[in-house]
Amino acid sequence: MMMSLHIDPAKCTGCLQCELACSYDNEGVFNPSKSRIKVFNFHDEGRFVPYTCTQCAEAWCLQACPVDAISVDLKTGAKVVSDSLCVGCKVCTIACPFGTVNYNASTGKVLKCDLCGGDPECAKACPTQAITYVDANWTGLERMRTWAAKTDSGPRATH
Amino acid sequence: MAWTGKILRVDLAKGTCKDEPLRMDWAKQYLGQRGLGTKYLAEEIDPKVDPLAPGNKLIMATGPLTGTNASTAGRYSVITKGALTGAIACSNSGGFFGNEMKNAGYDMIIFEGRAPKPVYLYLNNGDAKLVDAAGFWGKSVWDTEEGIKAKHQDPLIRVASIGVAGEKGVLFACIVNDMHRAAGRSGVGAVMGSKNLKAVALRGTLGVKVRDAKAFMAAVAKGKQALAANAVTGQGLPKYGTQVLMNVINEVGALPTRNHRDSQFEGANKISAEAMAAKRPDGKSNLVTNAACFACTIACGRVSQIDRTHYTVAERPKYQVASGGLEYEAAWALGAATGVGDLDALTFANFVCNEQGIDPISFGATLGAAMELYEMGAITSKDTGGIELKFGDPKALTEMTELTGRGEGFGAILGLGSKRMCEKYGKPELSMAVKGQEFPAYDARGIQGMGLTYATSNRGACHLRSYTVSSEILGVPVKTDPLVTEGKAALVKAFQDATAAVDSAGICVFTTFAWTLDDIAPQIDGACEGNWTTAKLLEVGERVWNLERQFNMRAGFTAKDDMLPARLLKDAAKTGPAKGLVNQLGKMLPEYYQLRGWTPDGVPSNETLKRLAL
């Protein structure tokens, strides 16, 4: 089954455990600045929003890469950067409409979410289920269930 | 590991910033943050120094766990000689500033001397410099934080700064980071202001490592599970915040009201967590959402928004946005202590406390004392610039908050704190304080252990030095009777030592609703060299406590200062379960000294000092 990272900002408390988990898994240190997922704090609205690559099917980053350093992981659907091929030209960072591919000056390569090979650390670390890893075809299931529960069905049929 | 092994020493007079290796021998004895910062301060300053003189130093210190993914591991503390108290001060703050310091490569920053003109420190990954703060002097915390980010064109900078209150020497000024997290008590912001240091701006991308990753991650995961499963940390605090206590403490008759004249507040329900969550006429609630500090899986923080038609904000769009909402202590001080039951007025006052950097506990308590002085005629509207300081008047509260935040008018008098203010008006007995610091939100007549907690707290009256409320009211870790004194000396000592260890680690004391040191030791041991066990942490805690006590004795404090105001010792509670009771400090204190290994005069014995390697 194809899975997808699903983000529900309403549940996010802004604790950054996702950033810590991401940086630790990828870099071996706790370092939010090296995280592939980023939590934004819209202070005046009291909103926290985690944001990362949605692994879009169009994959502009992949198409833009001049050295074919970005490929599709067939198991997960993730668009994965090969460090050995990446030349740090940053064209992918321009191509991505969402800004979720970023250059890492200390390595000279770009960073993006690779879904941790199918077991995303951010989702496991999230204490409030604001980030989950769910069936890619049913990312709306929980929200549908919530609204379904609120639906007034009128008088119930008797059996 | 976990420690960066490096400190930054900033000489404000000379304008220099120098790296120094961390004294690892001290780190093994004092762990970090509160303990280690106090050790450095005690070694480096004369305890008799005037807190606002250049000879005082101000230390910002992280703990070894700060910056890791241990739950709540984002704390830092400010250690200095307190402006309000003249005693050792150690004020702890969450938010995201502590993590940034660690990622910038430092365990602590020591500020010494006084800058010839206002400056701020800009520290980016080991590159430190003092920058002219002329453009920020006179500005609020909020404007300073935004202004520094804009000036450096870096929205990811983390800032801790003082508002106008700290510049003007309001003695309970605090240091605010991340807009509304504060190193709140004892006037650490006034010390920062006396040094002409407006702000500390940090940017760190270096990463934090741990000693044994596998052991550390296992201990951290177990700790997080325990927090999630616990009713207080897993449900009560995220849903209601610390404000869950308002109705509980009022019910047990321990909610100090109108300068401790009463111990139950008829308006408690109107300023409670339940009121914050309730729908207003505008269809919204005061509470917008809960929020977490760095790495915190509890998320007790409140984000609030005031009704746009409320008198405090109707003409002032700047305050109509969501911002840091009421915690229990602030709601008590701004509300019950002043008799004000208007939730939005309290929320506004809280915003202003954050905006200008004043401690809402000491401010609200001092205003409560001023209201009593006003009622008896010792203060008149001539003193207050025409403002009537009547108990229960929300406008008196909000106007005085703004004046005090700017250190203007009668706000400058309130900014002296209740001890100096009550002395000024010839009624010293009306100051509800210990060692010059105002009580927080628990009446020691209804919670006996808190009387001993306040009397013996090294930084003046404080709930965070030994929160026996946890045992006496909430039953954690075991339920004790709040109305009796038996066993409280041992309880207070145990809480004091354990809390000192937690405050030295880089994590939040709120974890201890679910964790004991048995849960914390493996996390520290996984992160740090030194075979950290529960027993070793308790020893560190006791060592820190005695070091703080030693500092205070050298500063001139004696057992006479381990004292409560006569009101709590002589005037019985009028209502509630504690009706007819006073605090029986005299029954607990001698036993406490004995358990501490101190002389009957409260002096640590040579044996005790030797045992603790002091």
Side-chain angles (χ1 to χ4, degrees):
Chain A
M1 176 171 65
M2 194 62 85
M3 305 278 279
S4 172
L5 268 184
H6 184 59
I7 290 170
D8 183 352
K11 291 181 179 166
C12 179
T13 64
C15 75
L16 310 190
Q17 281 285 348
C18 55
E19 296 189 13
L20 286 161
C22 180
S23 65
Y24 186 78
D25 188 61
N26 286 293
E27 312 281 330
V29 289
F30 298 109
N31 188 353
S33 71
K34 297 288 190 295
S35 171
R36 282 97 169 126
I37 187 164
K38 190 104 200 99
V39 179
F40 293 88
N41 176 358
F42 297 95
H43 176 272
D44 290 0
E45 301 162 41
R47 284 203 309 138
F48 305 97
V49 184
Y51 205 74
T52 189
C53 174
T54 58
Q55 314 296 348
C56 62
E58 192 69 26
W60 286 277
C61 60
L62 181 151
Q63 295 179 31
C65 181
V67 294
D68 292 333
I70 302 179
S71 58
V72 181
D73 179 335
L74 292 176
K75 185 169 80 114
T76 63
K79 315 303 177 292
V80 181
V81 180
S82 163
D83 274 358
S84 57
L85 295 176
C86 176
V87 294
C89 73
K90 313 184 200 67
V91 171
C92 57
T93 69
I94 299 166
C96 174
F98 308 105
T100 57
V101 193
N102 283 281
Y103 180 66
N104 178 358
S106 56
T107 59
K109 315 281 180 190
V110 295
L111 295 179
K112 74 174 288 300
C113 171
D114 61 2
L115 294 177
C116 298
D119 190 19
E121 295 293 331
C122 55
K124 286 192 284 182
C126 180
T128 60
Q129 286 82 52
I131 307 166
T132 48
Y133 194 51
V134 299
D135 183 344
N137 295 314
W138 281 107
T139 53
L141 196 65
E142 272 312 304
R143 195 169 292 178
M144 284 170 77
R145 193 196 308 280
T146 305
W147 283 100
K150 289 179 185 168
T151 304
D152 184 356
S153 58
R156 287 177 194 209
T158 48
H159 298 282
Chain B
M1 288 287 188
W3 296 285
T4 67
K6 201 165 76 170
I7 66 177
L8 181 69
R9 187 177 294 275
V10 180
D11 185 327
L12 292 161
K14 289 186 193 146
T16 57
C17 304
K18 281 185 187 152
D19 286 1
E20 262 177 42
L22 181 72
R23 286 281 304 259
M24 287 310 296
D25 52 335
W26 289 354
K28 299 282 167 69
Q29 278 189 306
Y30 293 92
L31 191 54
Q33 207 179 347
R34 175 174 164 188
L36 197 54
T38 304
K39 176 64 176 170
Y40 269 89
L41 190 80
E43 292 284 337
E44 294 192 10
I45 74 164
D46 172 5
K48 290 197 160 49
V49 72
D50 173 354
L52 298 177
N56 193 8
K57 297 189 184 185
L58 184 129
I59 300 177
M60 293 181 165
T62 63
L65 292 182
T66 306
T68 69
N69 73 337
S71 188
T72 77
R75 313 293 302 188
Y76 92 103
S77 287
V78 178
I79 300 104
T80 187
K81 181 170 172 174
L84 183 67
T85 56
I88 186 80
C90 174
S91 296
N92 187 311
S93 181
F96 300 83
F97 183 82
N99 163 63
E100 208 69 23
M101 189 190 302
K102 207 68 174 288
N103 268 289
Y106 296 91
D107 292 307
M108 58 170 84
I109 305 173
I110 301 179
F111 294 96
E112 46 192 46
R114 171 186 289 157
K117 55 180 187 160
V119 292
Y120 68 94
L121 175 73
Y122 175 63
L123 168 59
N124 186 342
N125 281 349
D127 184 14
K129 60 182 176 192
L130 289 168
V131 184
D132 186 349
F136 299 114
W137 203 253
K139 294 235 161 88
S140 71
V141 164
W142 293 355
D143 290 341
T144 300
E145 193 166 324
E146 277 179 13
I148 287 177
K149 288 177 183 180
K151 182 175 164 182
H152 292 272
Q153 298 186 325
D154 186 352
L156 298 176
I157 287 176
R158 301 289 186 184
V159 179
S161 65
I162 54 169
V164 175
E167 297 173 11
K168 293 272 188 79
V170 167
L171 291 177
F172 45 76
C174 47
I175 301 171
V176 180
N177 57 285
D178 303 291
M179 304 293 275
H180 35 68
R181 308 307 313 185
R185 302 222 68 193
S186 312
V188 296
V191 174
M192 188 156 154
S194 76
K195 300 196 166 307
N196 269 331
L197 178 64
K198 179 66 181 174
V200 178
L202 305 177
R203 183 82 171 93
T205 62
L206 300 175
V208 177
K209 292 178 185 148
V210 291
R211 180 186 67 84
D212 178 344
K214 203 174 161 195
F216 177 75
M217 293 301 258
V220 163
K222 202 170 153 221
K224 286 178 184 166
Q225 281 160 14
L227 290 175
N230 181 277
V232 177
T233 53
Q235 294 154 40
L237 284 174
K239 184 163 183 201
Y240 295 113
T242 51
Q243 272 275 63
V244 69
L245 289 165
M246 185 62 73
N247 284 321
V248 174
I249 301 298
N250 195 44
E251 286 295 307
V252 301
L255 190 70
T257 300
R258 288 174 286 267
N259 204 33
H260 282 70
R261 280 202 311 220
D262 300 300
S263 37
Q264 287 184 306
F265 179 41
E266 65 286 352
N269 196 45
K270 288 198 280 184
I271 60 169
S272 65
E274 292 81 353
M276 287 171 74
K279 282 266 190 307
R280 294 183 301 225
D282 69 352
K284 296 176 182 166
S285 55
N286 176 282
L287 181 69
V288 176
T289 186
N290 67 327
C293 294
F294 178 85
C296 175
T297 57
I298 304 172
C300 74
R302 303 291 96 182
V303 177
S304 283
Q305 198 160 13
I306 298 168
D307 185 330
R308 286 179 188 188
T309 62
H310 192 263
Y311 80 89
T312 50
V313 301
E315 309 290 323
R316 303 168 82 179
K318 178 173 130 186
Y319 299 100
Q320 291 176 359
V321 301
S323 194
L326 291 164
E327 316 290 331
Y328 170 62
E329 305 296 333
W332 161 78
L334 301 170
T338 63
V340 176
D342 178 337
L343 182 67
D344 274 351
L346 267 56
T347 305
F348 176 79
N350 195 60
F351 283 7
V352 173
C353 285
N354 291 332
E355 184 190 20
Q356 292 296 9
I358 54 174
D359 168 19
I361 301 179
S362 280
F363 165 71
T366 302
L367 181 58
M371 286 171 162
E372 186 167 359
L373 289 165
Y374 186 84
E375 198 176 89
M376 61 173 51
I379 292 176
T380 67
S381 55
K382 226 165 135 187
D383 299 301
T384 63
I387 299 166
E388 293 199 60
L389 286 190
K390 286 188 179 160
F391 277 121
D393 181 353
K395 288 195 173 153
L397 167 71
T398 52
E399 287 185 37
M400 282 302 155
T401 314
E402 295 201 77
L403 284 175
T404 307
R406 296 194 303 266
E408 287 172 5
F410 191 70
I413 305 292
L414 290 169
L416 296 170
S418 68
K419 178 170 176 271
R420 290 168 179 85
M421 180 189 70
C422 292
E423 279 168 1
K424 179 180 160 70
Y425 293 105
K427 300 280 177 192
E429 70 279 8
L430 291 187
S431 167
M432 295 297 115
V434 174
K435 298 181 179 77
Q437 178 159 289
E438 290 73 16
F439 291 115
Y442 311 90
D443 194 311
R445 291 166 292 203
I447 310 177
Q448 292 287 321
M450 289 307 284
L452 184 61
T453 285
Y454 296 148
T456 59
S457 163
N458 289 325
R459 68 166 185 174
C462 172
H463 57 296
L464 294 170
R465 286 298 173 270
S466 61
Y467 194 67
T468 60
V469 175
S470 181
S471 165
E472 298 180 89
I473 303 299
L474 305 173
V476 179
V478 284
K479 182 78 175 82
T480 53
D481 183 346
L483 303 179
V484 306
T485 55
E486 283 77 31
K488 295 299 164 62
L491 188 71
V492 167
K493 178 184 180 293
F495 269 81
Q496 285 174 339
D497 292 348
T499 306
V502 171
D503 287 346
S504 301
I507 55 174
C508 176
V509 73
F510 286 2
T511 57
T512 58
F513 287 116
W515 293 351
T516 66
L517 291 182
D518 291 338
D519 299 286
I520 295 168
Q523 301 187 51
I524 296 174
D525 191 56
C528 307
E529 295 85 0
N531 297 313
W532 293 90
T533 60
T534 297
K536 190 168 171 179
L537 286 177
L538 271 176
E539 190 187 297
V540 166
E542 191 180 1
R543 182 178 295 126
V544 172
W545 192 265
N546 280 272
L547 178 69
E548 292 172 341
R549 179 78 176 184
Q550 268 188 317
F551 180 94
N552 283 352
M553 308 222 94
R554 286 174 187 152
F557 289 91
T558 67
K560 287 199 187 84
D561 299 297
D562 298 340
M563 187 43 69
L564 299 173
R567 182 165 278 175
L568 294 183
L569 300 172
K570 291 182 180 151
D571 300 353
K574 296 171 196 156
T575 62
K579 188 177 173 181
L581 281 186
V582 295
N583 184 268
Q584 297 189 301
L585 178 64
K587 280 192 178 173
M588 300 179 278
L589 198 54
E591 187 191 352
Y592 171 83
Y593 286 163
Q594 195 183 5
L595 285 170
R596 276 255 167 248
W598 296 353
T599 68
D601 295 329
V603 180
S605 70
N606 287 337
E607 236 169 52
T608 300
L609 295 178
K610 203 175 155 194
R611 179 169 59 80
L612 296 168
L614 280 166

